[in-house]
Amino acid sequence: QVDVEESGGRSVQTGGSLRLSCAASGRSFSRYSMGWFRQAPGKEREFVAGITSSAERRNYQGSLKGRFTISRDNAKNMVYLEMNSLKVEDTADYYCAADQNPDLPYQSPRYYEYWGQGTQVTVSS
């Protein structure tokens, strides 16, 4: 069992940067792969980034690679998503999720067992 809670979402202007945080509970956090997903109004949830339990492997949605960065601090039970050069198209609710597979950051949301409630990011011109 891993409980997660996102924070850091807010309104920003295009070109700005934002860092989202995900606080996790449970002694088994360091054994979980973690992922960030987002869902815009009227659209399905999509994969943003994933990271293995030891942070040795990271995976990104192709269009976001180089602009978004996922990281984790197992000692603090924290996962982060750094977002740079934000665009209006990045506007969405962002979710943090945990997957009990420690070695493979799946891109499909159906493989993740535990989810946060989401944090809203709004990017405007």
Side-chain angles (χ1 to χ4, degrees):
Q1 178 71 34
V2 175
D3 294 327
V4 296
E5 182 177 3
E6 309 92 338
S7 63
R10 63 180 178 88
S11 296
V12 297
Q13 291 188 327
T14 56
S17 298
L18 191 62
R19 188 190 197 192
L20 304 182
S21 298
C22 174
S25 65
R27 297 189 301 274
S28 299
F29 171 75
S30 62
R31 304 175 189 172
Y32 282 74
S33 289
M34 301 294 295
W36 283 98
F37 295 80
R38 68 184 184 183
Q39 186 168 17
K43 298 183 179 180
E44 294 188 350
R45 192 171 301 177
E46 66 174 353
F47 175 77
V48 173
I51 187 169
T52 56
S53 60
S54 63
E56 292 184 348
R57 184 184 300 176
R58 303 178 186 186
N59 196 19
Y60 297 91
Q61 181 191 107
S63 63
L64 301 178
K65 187 176 182 179
R67 194 161 61 87
F68 285 16
T69 302
I70 187 172
S71 61
R72 68 189 296 164
D73 186 340
N74 287 345
K76 297 181 178 180
N77 279 17
M78 296 290 292
V79 183
Y80 306 98
L81 181 68
E82 296 180 359
M83 304 183 292
N84 299 311
S85 301
L86 285 165
K87 305 175 181 179
V88 173
E89 297 77 46
D90 295 320
T91 296
D93 289 335
Y94 284 72
Y95 297 87
C96 180
D99 174 17
Q100 65 182 359
N101 187 329
D103 301 318
L104 185 64
Y106 291 113
Q107 297 188 37
S108 175
R110 70 189 187 96
Y111 293 105
Y112 292 79
E113 293 84 15
Y114 307 104
W115 294 80
Q117 81 292 337
T119 185
Q120 188 173 30
V121 174
T122 301
V123 185
S124 60
S125 300

